[in-house]
Amino acid sequence: MLNPFLAQQGGAIETPQIDYAAILPILIVLGAACVGVLLEAFLPKHQRWPVQVGLTLLTIVAAGVALGAYVGDAPEQGITTLSGTVAVDAPALFLWGTLLALALGAVLLIADRSVEPGGAFVAQAGISPGTVQDRAQVSSTGMQTEVFPLTLFALGGMMTFTAANDLLTMFIALEVLSLPLYLMCGLARRRRLISQEAAVKYFLLGAFASAFFLYGIAMLYGYAGSVRLADIAAATAGTDRSDTLLFAGFGLLMVGLLFKGSVGPFHTWTPDVYQGAPTPITAFMAACTKVAAFGALLRVLFVAFESTSWEWRGVLWAVAIISMAVGAILGLTQTDVKRMIAYSSIAHAGFLLVGTMAITDEGLSGTLFYLLAYGFTTLAAFGVISLVRDASGEATHLSAWAGLSKRSPLLAAVFTFLLLALAGIPLTSGFVGKFVVFSAALSDGMAPLVVIALVFSAVAAFFYLRVVVLMYFSEPAPEGPTVSVPGAFTTAAITLGVVVTLLLGVLPAFALDWAGAGGFALSS
Amino acid sequence: MLIAIAAHFAVAAMLPLAARRCGRAAFAIGALVPAGSLALALTYLPGVLRGTPHGESVHWAERIGLLFTVRLDALAMLMTLLVTGVGAVVLCYFGRYADRDEPGHGRQAGLMVAFAGAMLGLVLADDVLSLYVYWEITTIASFLLVGGAGRDEESRRSAKQALVVTVFGGLALLLGLIVLAVAAGTFRLSGILADPPDGAAVTAAVALLLVGVATKSAQVPFHPWLPAAMVAPTPVSAYLHAAAMVKAGVYLAARLAPAFADRPVFWVPLVVLGLWTMVLGGFRALRQHDLKLLLAFGTVSQLGFLLVLVAVGTYTAALAGAAMLLAHGLFKSTLFLTAGAVDKGTGTRDIRELSGLGRQWPQLATLAGLAAASMAGLPPLLGFVGKEAALKAFLHATPKDVAVLCGITAGSVFTVAYTLRFLVGAFGTRPGAAPSRAKPPGAVFTAAIAVPALAGLVVGPGVGWLAPLAAGYAEALPGAHDYHLALWHGLTPPLLLSVLVLATGYAVYRAGRAVAVVSGRVPEPLRAQRGYDTAVSGLIRLAHGGTGRIQTGSLPVYLAVILLTVVAAPGTMLLLRGLPAIEAPWSRSWLQLPLAAIVLAAAGAVLRARRRLTAVLLTGMIGYGVGGLFLVRGAIDLALAQFLVETLTLVVFVLVLRRLPPPFARPGRERTGGQARSGQPALRRAEWRKALVAALGGTFVAVLATAYSAGRERLPPASAWYVDNAKPEAGATNVVNAILVDFRALDTIGEITVLLVAATGAASLALGAGRARRRTMPRPGRDERTEVRR
C-alpha cells in the first residue's frame, strides 16, 4: 500500500518498486490464465483442448524455468516487493517450486482423455444431471476446457497465497485460489449430482471460512493498526495493549487457514468433496491446496505470531490432536478409496500441524519437506485411483479393489508403495517427512504431542495396510472392475509421483537442503 | 559388511525373476547370499576376538543425521553367525519344502532373503535410525511371509495381528531411540552406550524401547501374535523363531544392557515380564496338540528366559545369555524343520494322530532328539552349558536372585516337560494306534536338519571356541569375571539343580492331563488375545460411531461443527481472559430500535419461509434494515453501498428464481404430506438444535464485534491524515466523500469498473443462458422429469 504521507509530501506519486524477476513465475501463471480465458472465447470447440493443454503445460514449465533462473542468484535473506505485500524468500521459492511441480502432475491427470474417453470432465456443465442430455454427454468426447484456465488461476492464487506478506493480499489470494476450485469440483462427467453437491458444500463452508478469515483480519488491524505480518509481529512484541483483540483475530484467522488445510475439526467438507469432485481435481486439491494452506500458515505463524507462540500453542495442540484422531480413527471404517485418502489427508494435516507449531528452523524445513513429499504421494495415489474402473466409471468402493494384484500386479504394487509412503514406512518419502517433522517438534519441547502423533500414525497405518491386504490377499470379485491402461499423460503423472516418493525416501538430502535454505524474509 | 546387507536386498529383488526360469532353485540361489555373508563375517572374527570391532559407514541423508553404519563387535558377531547360518540352512530346506507346482516361489524366496538381510542389518547397525529402518523391514517382511498368499481368513488375521502389534512396538521404539539420541547428542548407538545420558526423558525413552522389545520378542501381554503366526509355512516359522524377528528384541535388550542394566526401569520390567512369559509359555505349551504350536509356546517361554538373562546385567548372566541365544537358535531351528518334515511326510502335525514315526525315520528322530536334549538342558549339549551358567548366575542369597532362580527353575521344569511331549508326540508309538504312513524325508531335509542339530552337539563339548566370543560381550558388564563357559564344573549346586529340574520335568510330563485341566482356568478378562481383540474391535466401533455422528453428509451438521469449534475454542479462551467493558451506549437514537426489531424479525422469519421468493425478500429486508442502521448513524456512503448491493442481489436472485420451483424442497415433508409438522418430532428437534447453534454463532460474532471494536487502540495514521486534510486539501466537509472522489479516486474508478463487469456478467449469464438452452437443446419431456425426481 502506498503511504499517503510520502505520496503527498513528496509532491509526486512515488511508484512502488517491483522486482519483476522475482515475481515472474506468478505473472506467467496468471497471465496465461487470462490468455486461456480468451482462447476459450475465441477458439472453435475442436481446437480448444489441444491448445489449452499445450498452453497450460507450457505455462507451468515456463514458470518453472523463470523460478529456476531466479533461484540461482536470489538474495539469501529474500526480498519483499510490490511495496512489501509479497515476500519472495527461501520458503516461498521452495513452495512455488513444489506447487508448480505438483500442478504439472495434476494438469497431466486433468488433461488425460484415454482413461475416461473424453476426459473426466463434463462436456457441457449447463445440462441438468439425470436428463437425456446428460446421458448423451457421458458418452460424448468433448470436455469443458475452461478447467485449464481455472486451474491456472487457482495455481496463481496458491503461489500468491504462500508469498503474501500482508493479510489483505493473503485474503485476495485465498479467494483467487478457492473460487476456481469450488467450480471445478462440480464438473465431473459421471455421478454429477454428488459432484455438484460437493461443489455446493465446499462453496458454502468455504464462504464461511473466508468470512471468518476476513473478520480475523479486521480484528488484527484493530489491534496492530496494520495488516502487514511484520507490523503485527512488531505490535505483539513490545506493547501493553490488550491481547484479547489479538487473540480473537488470531483465532478467526486460523479458522480460515485451517479450513483450507482441511485440519480437523474444520475438515468436515473434506471427505464429501474429495469423493464428489472429479478425481484429477481431487488430486490437485489434495496436493496443491494443502501445500498452499500450510505455506501460508507457516508464514503467518513464523512472521506475525512467533513471539506469542506460548499463548496460542495450547489451542493448536488441541486442533492437531483432533485432526490426527479424526483422520486416523474415522479412516478405519471407510469403504470408499477416495474418502479413505481424504481421511488420510486430515490425519496428515494433523502431522503437518505438529511440525508447523515448532517455530524453529527445523520445524520450517521439516514441514516444507513433508508438504513436498505428501503432495507427490497423494497426487500419484489419486492417479492410480482413476485407473480402476467399471461400467459406471471409477470403482472407488473398496470391495472392488479386492484381489487387484491378480488382475494388475503392477498397479497393485504401485498403489501399495504409495500407501506405505502415506503410512510412513522407511525408504519412502513419508518416513523421512514424518521423521523430520517429529524430531523438530521433539527438540522444540513437544514430546507428548509427538507421542500422540506416533500412536495415531500406527492407527492410520492400520487402514492403509488394510487396503494392501485386500489387494493382495483376497480373491478378486467375479465381476470386478477392470484396470484401464493409462494414457501417456496419466502414466507420466503417476510415474512422477512414484519416482519422487521413492527418491525423497532414499536420497532426501537434496530436497532437505533446499527446504532448509533459509527463513522467511522479515523486513517489510 | 554393508555390501553383504546390500547383496541381500539386491538378490531379493531379483529372485522373483529368477524363479520364473528355475522354480524352486530360487531358494538355493537365495541361500548363497547368507552363506556368503557368513563367510565374510568369519574373516573379521579374529579382529573381533581381539576386541577391535569392525566398522563401516555410508551416508544416506547427512543433513538430518541419517547414515548407514555397521559395527561388528562380539554381540553382533554372535547374532550374525546365527542369522546368516540359520538363514542359509532354512533357505535350502525351503527349496525342498515348497510345492513344485505352487506359484509364488520367487516371492517367498525374495522375501526370505530380504528378511535375512534386514535382520543382518539390524544386528550390525550402529546408528539408531538405520536400526529402526531394519527393524521395520523385518516387521513387514514377516507380515508378508506369514500372510503368505492370504488365501484364508485365518492367515490374514494372524498376519495382521503380527503387524499391528509389532508396528505399534516399532513406533514406540522409534520414539525411544530418538529421545535417547537427542539426550545423548549422537545418533551412534555405540556413542550413546559408551556415555549413557541421564534424566527423566531418558527413563521414558528406555521404557518406550522396552515396549518395542516386548512386542517384537512376544512377551506378555503382547505374546499372542507369535503362536498365531504359526499359519506361516514351516521354514518361515523356523527362521522367525530361531534367528530373526523375535530375536531382534532379545538382541536390542542385550545391546542396551551394558549401559542401562543398572537402572530399575530397564531390568525390573524385563525380568518380571520375562519370568512371567517363561512360565506362562511353558505352561501353555503343555496343552498344545499341534507340533508347531507346541514349539511356538516353547519359543515364547525361551524368549522370556533369554530376556531375563540379558536384562539382569551381570557378567555370568550375560555369558549364559550369549550361550543360550546361540543354543536356542540351533535347537529351535532343528525342531521346527523337523516339524515341517513330519508335516510334509505324513500330512499332519497333530500329536494325537502321529504314531510310530520314530521307527520309520530313525535318523531324523535321533537328530531331533539331540536338539530336544539341548532344549531340555541335557549334557553334553550347548543348551546344558547355557542353562548351567544361567543357574549359576543367580545362586546368590539376595531376594532378587532367589526370586529369579525360582522363576527360571519353574520355567525349566516346564521346558523339560514340553520337550518330552514334543519328542514323544512326534516320534513315539501310541499303543493301539496304527503307525502313521510317512514318505521318507529325503536327503535335503535330513541334511538341513542335521546341520544345526550337530552344531549344537559339537559346540557343547567344544564350548571353548564359543567362550571368547561370549566373554567379549559379557566383559562390558559388572560382576566377578570368575566364571567361564564349560561342560563340566564338577559336582556343583547348578548341576544338582539341573538334575532336580529334569526329574520334576519328567514328573510334570507324566501328570500332563492334570496340567491340561488347570491351564484352561485363566480368567477370561486376563487373556492377552482377548485384550488384543477388544482393543481392535473397540477402535473399529469408535470409528463407526464417530463416522455416523460426524460425517453425516449434511451441510448444516458440518457448518455446526465449524461454528461450535469457533465458539468453543477461541471463545472460551477469550472469556477466560475477561470481556472488556462495552463502553458504547445501548442506543444512540430511538430509530435504531424499530430497525433492529425489523432485522431480527426478518432473520427469524427467513428460517420459517416455505417459498423461495419469500426467503429472498426477507433476506433483502435484513440487508435494507442494516442499511437503515448505517443511515441512522450517519454513514451515508455505507448505507448507499448497502442499498445498491441489496438491490442488485435481489434482481439477480429473481432472475435465477424464475427457473426454480417456488417452494423449497423440504426433507421428509414430501413423503408424509400434511401431517408432517406434528408427526415428526425428531425433525423438529433437529431444527431446534440448528437454531440454537446458529444463535450461538451469531451471538458470538456480534459480541466480538461490539466488545472488541472498542478495544482498538487509536486512529490509524492514514485516517488521521485524511481527517486533517479533507478540508484544506480537498475542500470537502465530508471526509468520506473526500476519500472516495479525491484522495482515492483511482480506487473508486476501479471499484466501479469491477461492479459493472460483474453486473454485466451476471446479466448476460441470466439472460443469455436461457436463449442458448432454447437454441441448442429441447427441454426435458414430462416423462423424464418424473423419472429424475424418482
Side-chain angles (χ1 to χ4, degrees):
Chain A
M1 262 183 292
L2 187 56
N3 189 329
F5 291 104
L6 294 176
Q8 296 296 328
Q9 285 161 1
I13 294 175
E14 198 177 299
T15 47
Q17 291 293 317
I18 301 177
D19 190 338
Y20 284 104
I23 58 167
L24 191 58
I26 295 188
L27 294 181
I28 291 177
V29 170
L30 288 177
C34 295
V35 173
V37 172
L38 291 178
L39 290 179
E40 199 62 28
F42 292 115
L43 278 184
K45 201 154 195 178
H46 62 276
Q47 288 181 5
R48 288 184 199 162
W49 186 85
V51 174
Q52 290 283 23
V53 172
L55 174 73
T56 312
L57 292 178
L58 197 70
T59 303
I60 293 175
V61 171
V65 170
L67 179 67
Y70 180 73
V71 166
D73 48 17
E76 198 163 309
Q77 289 308 311
I79 57 142
T80 57
T81 184
L82 291 166
S83 27
T85 54
V86 171
V88 184
D89 43 25
L93 291 170
F94 181 85
L95 288 166
W96 286 1
T98 309
L99 281 171
L100 286 170
L102 290 173
L104 184 69
V107 167
L108 289 173
L109 287 179
I110 291 172
D112 190 278
R113 293 203 292 186
S114 61
V115 176
E116 165 91 59
F121 295 90
V122 66
Q124 266 189 309
I127 306 172
S128 313
T131 54
V132 174
Q133 291 81 20
D134 189 33
R135 284 197 284 278
Q137 71 83 19
V138 167
S139 48
S140 71
T141 51
M143 78 186 252
Q144 199 80 44
T145 41
E146 278 98 342
V147 172
F148 295 103
L150 287 175
T151 310
L152 285 181
F153 271 121
L155 177 63
M158 288 166 183
M159 291 169 69
T160 319
F161 198 47
T162 56
N165 203 27
D166 76 49
L167 292 173
L168 270 186
T169 312
M170 198 172 264
F171 176 71
I172 300 206
L174 176 70
E175 292 304 302
V176 171
L177 83 88
S178 302
L179 293 174
L181 283 179
Y182 299 148
L183 202 55
M184 289 194 286
C185 285
L187 291 181
R189 177 180 290 263
R190 291 162 183 270
R191 294 184 209 163
R192 293 188 53 209
L193 273 180
I194 182 178
S195 160
Q196 294 184 352
E197 186 187 327
V200 169
K201 277 181 181 163
Y202 193 21
F203 171 64
L204 283 179
L205 295 174
F208 260 90
S210 295
F212 282 128
F213 187 84
L214 202 54
Y215 200 6
I217 295 179
M219 299 248 155
L220 290 174
Y221 182 73
Y223 171 78
S226 165
V227 288
R228 286 200 195 165
L229 298 178
D231 290 350
I232 295 173
T236 60
T239 61
D240 49 353
R241 283 179 247 193
S242 139
D243 281 348
T244 31
L245 202 57
L246 174 73
F247 290 113
F250 173 80
L252 293 172
L253 195 69
M254 283 299 119
V255 172
L257 287 172
L258 296 176
F259 176 86
K260 276 292 155 211
S262 72
V263 185
F266 308 104
H267 68 281
T268 40
W269 57 278
T270 316
D272 291 5
V273 174
Y274 276 24
Q275 186 188 15
T279 306
I281 295 302
T282 314
F284 180 60
M285 274 200 301
C288 294
T289 313
K290 188 81 87 196
V291 173
F294 273 94
L297 192 62
L298 279 171
R299 186 177 292 279
V300 168
L301 292 183
F302 273 71
V303 179
F305 295 100
E306 186 179 3
S307 61
T308 45
S309 65
W310 283 109
E311 309 272 355
W312 48 257
R313 219 177 228 185
V315 175
L316 285 196
W317 267 56
V319 168
I321 292 172
I322 292 176
S323 192
M324 292 184 287
V326 164
I329 295 178
L330 299 199
L332 284 176
T333 51
Q334 299 307 314
T335 51
D336 186 286
V337 181
K338 281 169 87 175
R339 288 184 85 86
M340 195 199 81
I341 306 281
Y343 279 103
S344 128
S345 113
I346 298 167
H348 279 283
F351 300 142
L352 276 163
L353 199 56
V354 172
T356 312
M357 273 188 278
I359 307 283
T360 56
D361 288 346
E362 292 84 45
L364 175 63
S365 65
T367 313
L368 290 178
F369 180 87
Y370 200 116
L371 284 170
L372 176 72
Y374 173 74
F376 276 102
T377 311
T378 192
L379 183 79
F382 279 112
V384 171
I385 289 173
S386 73
L387 296 181
V388 180
R389 319 181 66 87
D390 58 17
S392 66
E394 287 164 12
T396 52
H397 198 274
L398 267 183
S399 63
W401 288 62
L404 202 70
S405 69
K406 296 186 176 73
R407 285 172 205 273
S408 176
L410 180 65
L411 184 105
V414 165
F415 200 56
T416 303
F417 175 71
L418 294 171
L419 289 175
L420 292 181
L422 287 176
I425 302 291
L427 295 182
T428 62
S429 61
F431 168 73
V432 182
K434 276 212 177 73
F435 176 76
V436 289
V437 165
F438 291 167
S439 56
L442 258 184
S443 50
D444 203 32
M446 295 195 279
L449 190 61
V450 174
V451 174
I452 296 170
L454 284 173
V455 169
F456 285 119
S457 308
V459 176
F462 188 79
F463 71 74
Y464 300 120
L465 292 166
R466 202 170 60 120
V467 180
V468 176
V469 171
L470 192 73
M471 287 195 299
Y472 276 91
F473 299 152
S474 297
E475 285 306 308
E479 293 184 12
T482 53
V483 173
S484 305
V485 179
F489 281 165
T490 301
T491 315
I494 296 176
T495 316
L496 179 74
V498 171
V499 167
V500 172
T501 304
L502 182 66
L503 271 185
L504 291 183
V506 180
L507 301 165
F510 170 71
L512 280 169
D513 284 342
W514 194 22
F520 288 105
L522 293 176
S523 62
S524 53
Chain B
M1 288 308 286
L2 273 170
I3 190 124
I5 302 170
H8 276 86
F9 290 114
V11 171
M14 282 182 292
L15 277 181
L17 292 177
R20 283 194 197 153
R21 287 277 175 83
C22 47
R24 294 198 296 182
F27 288 101
I29 300 171
L32 293 176
V33 185
S37 306
L38 178 63
L40 182 62
L42 286 175
T43 61
Y44 297 115
L45 187 60
V48 172
L49 288 180
R50 276 198 309 274
T52 49
H54 167 77
E56 295 166 25
S57 85
V58 61
H59 286 298
W60 174 16
E62 212 175 344
R63 208 189 131 75
I64 51 169
L66 289 178
L67 48 94
F68 288 111
T69 319
V70 297
R71 186 163 181 277
L72 188 60
D73 59 3
L75 177 63
M77 177 58 86
L78 194 69
M79 286 298 297
T80 305
L81 298 181
L82 200 59
V83 169
T84 52
V86 176
V89 168
V90 167
L91 270 164
C92 289
Y93 177 94
F94 208 162
R96 172 77 179 71
Y97 180 88
D99 282 321
R100 188 173 311 223
D101 310 322
E102 189 105 328
H105 291 152
R107 176 181 179 277
Q108 283 181 322
L111 280 173
M112 278 296 279
V113 174
F115 194 20
M119 200 57 209
L120 185 63
L122 175 65
V123 300
L124 292 175
D126 188 37
D127 75 275
V128 295
L129 292 169
S130 48
L131 177 91
Y132 169 72
V133 170
Y134 293 125
W135 183 282
E136 289 297 19
I137 296 177
T138 60
T139 300
I140 292 168
S142 75
F143 164 70
L144 293 171
L145 284 166
V146 171
R151 295 276 150 60
D152 56 318
E153 183 65 34
E154 178 62 22
S155 62
R156 285 203 294 273
R157 207 191 60 77
S158 304
K160 206 152 73 182
Q161 183 174 1
L163 187 73
V164 170
V165 172
T166 50
V167 162
F168 166 73
L171 285 168
L173 173 85
L174 174 64
L175 186 60
L177 288 174
I178 290 177
V179 173
L180 203 57
V182 169
T186 173
F187 279 85
R188 295 294 282 267
L189 205 51
S190 47
I192 296 172
L193 297 178
D195 183 18
D198 281 304
V202 175
T203 308
V206 170
L208 285 165
L209 292 176
L210 294 187
V211 173
V213 167
T215 50
K216 200 83 167 179
S217 286
Q219 295 300 292
V220 172
F222 303 110
H223 66 279
W225 73 261
L226 188 59
M230 280 305 100
V231 294
T234 305
V236 173
S237 304
Y239 195 48
L240 203 80
H241 284 238
M245 192 74 181
V246 294
K247 285 287 169 67
V250 178
Y251 162 75
L252 189 65
R255 175 59 79 198
L256 296 174
F260 296 104
D262 54 340
R263 304 184 188 193
V265 65
F266 182 80
W267 70 261
V268 171
L270 279 183
V271 167
V272 171
L273 287 182
L275 287 176
W276 186 0
T277 312
M278 185 182 184
V279 174
L280 182 88
F283 199 64
R284 293 286 300 274
L286 286 177
R287 282 183 67 210
Q288 307 306 323
H289 300 293
D290 184 329
L291 286 180
K292 275 180 77 178
L293 269 183
L294 197 162
L295 289 176
F297 278 105
T299 306
V300 171
S301 166
Q302 293 282 328
L303 287 170
F305 185 30
L306 284 171
L307 278 177
V308 172
L309 290 180
V310 298
V312 158
T314 61
Y315 177 79
T316 319
L319 275 186
M324 276 312 290
L325 199 62
L326 192 61
H328 179 252
L330 294 175
F331 67 67
K332 199 44 75 74
S333 54
T334 312
L335 293 178
F336 262 110
L337 297 181
T338 309
V342 169
D343 190 13
K344 271 280 162 184
T346 64
T348 180
R349 302 191 303 247
D350 194 321
I351 55 175
R352 287 166 298 187
E353 294 171 20
L354 292 166
S355 179
L357 218 52
R359 295 201 190 131
Q360 297 175 49
W361 295 357
Q363 288 175 335
L364 213 57
T366 317
L367 291 171
L370 279 177
S374 182
M375 180 150 86
L378 277 176
L381 292 135
L382 185 57
F384 170 75
V385 179
K387 199 161 280 181
E388 286 288 285
L391 294 172
K392 167 75 178 131
F394 297 104
L395 273 179
H396 304 289
T398 63
K400 170 186 159 190
D401 281 353
V402 171
V404 173
L405 191 63
C406 292
I408 57 177
T409 311
S412 303
V413 167
F414 286 126
T415 307
V416 173
Y418 71 71
T419 305
L420 283 169
R421 186 175 164 85
F422 174 84
L423 212 55
V424 175
F427 295 105
T429 306
R430 282 182 304 134
S436 304
R437 257 184 252 152
K439 289 179 285 189
V444 178
F445 274 5
T446 314
I449 292 168
V451 171
L454 295 178
L457 179 65
V458 173
V459 181
V463 74
W465 305 327
L466 177 68
L469 206 55
Y473 162 64
E475 256 169 15
L477 290 154
H481 288 28
D482 52 355
Y483 189 84
H484 59 278
L485 291 173
L487 199 56
W488 183 249
H489 286 280
L491 269 178
T492 51
L495 187 66
L496 298 176
L497 213 51
S498 279
V499 174
L500 184 73
V501 163
L502 286 172
T504 326
Y506 181 72
V508 170
Y509 165 70
R510 297 296 297 180
R513 278 175 197 286
V515 169
V517 172
V518 177
S519 64
R521 297 286 160 83
V522 181
E524 188 72 4
L526 287 183
R527 292 197 177 167
Q529 177 66 38
R530 200 181 135 88
Y532 167 81
D533 290 341
T534 317
V536 169
S537 67
L539 192 60
I540 287 176
R541 247 201 324 277
L542 179 68
H544 270 297
T547 317
R549 256 160 233 277
I550 299 172
Q551 211 70 50
T552 53
S554 144
L555 195 55
V557 173
Y558 292 179
L559 192 56
V561 170
I562 293 181
L563 277 179
L564 286 177
T565 318
V566 170
V567 175
T572 5
M573 192 172 88
L574 293 175
L575 279 180
L576 286 179
R577 296 173 151 267
L579 279 173
I582 298 174
E583 288 160 8
W586 281 103
S587 154
R588 285 181 195 273
S589 149
W590 64 271
L591 265 175
Q592 282 178 329
L593 271 178
L595 281 172
I598 289 176
V599 169
L600 283 178
V606 167
L607 301 177
R608 309 298 310 161
R610 301 179 64 189
R611 298 176 66 86
R612 289 172 206 262
L613 194 62
T614 325
V616 167
L617 287 177
L618 285 169
T619 324
M621 204 141 89
I622 299 174
Y624 286 119
V626 172
L629 285 172
F630 289 151
L631 206 59
V632 170
R633 286 299 309 273
I636 303 170
D637 56 322
L638 272 184
L640 278 178
Q642 177 78 23
F643 288 145
L644 187 65
V645 169
E646 279 307 323
T647 315
L648 201 66
T649 323
L650 256 184
V651 171
V652 174
F653 257 129
V654 170
L655 286 175
V656 174
L657 282 186
R658 285 187 311 167
R659 303 189 178 284
L660 295 172
F664 283 113
R666 290 218 158 197
R669 290 280 151 86
E670 266 173 52
R671 256 180 295 132
T672 48
Q675 307 148 350
R677 277 190 179 221
S678 54
Q680 297 210 337
L683 195 67
R684 290 184 61 84
R685 208 178 307 139
E687 281 178 355
W688 275 112
R689 232 177 282 152
K690 279 182 216 162
L692 188 70
V693 171
L696 258 179
T699 317
F700 174 72
V701 171
V703 168
L704 215 57
T706 25
Y708 294 121
S709 59
R712 60 183 292 173
E713 290 295 307
R714 61 201 143 82
L715 225 48
S719 309
W721 189 89
Y722 286 136
V723 172
D724 291 345
N725 288 280
K727 185 85 177 173
E729 295 277 331
T733 46
N734 183 332
V735 182
V736 177
N737 273 350
I739 294 171
L740 283 181
V741 300
D742 192 323
F743 296 136
R744 311 215 62 150
L746 282 173
D747 290 3
T748 312
I749 291 185
E751 282 159 20
I752 293 173
T753 317
V754 169
L755 199 65
L756 266 179
V757 170
T760 318
S764 63
L765 273 179
L767 302 173
R771 271 205 303 280
R773 187 172 300 183
R774 273 196 294 281
R775 199 172 57 235
T776 53
M777 70 193 88
R779 286 179 161 276
R782 184 162 272 286
D783 304 346
E784 281 155 17
R785 256 192 251 175
T786 46
E787 187 187 342
V788 172
R789 191 165 301 150
R790 231 179 271 139

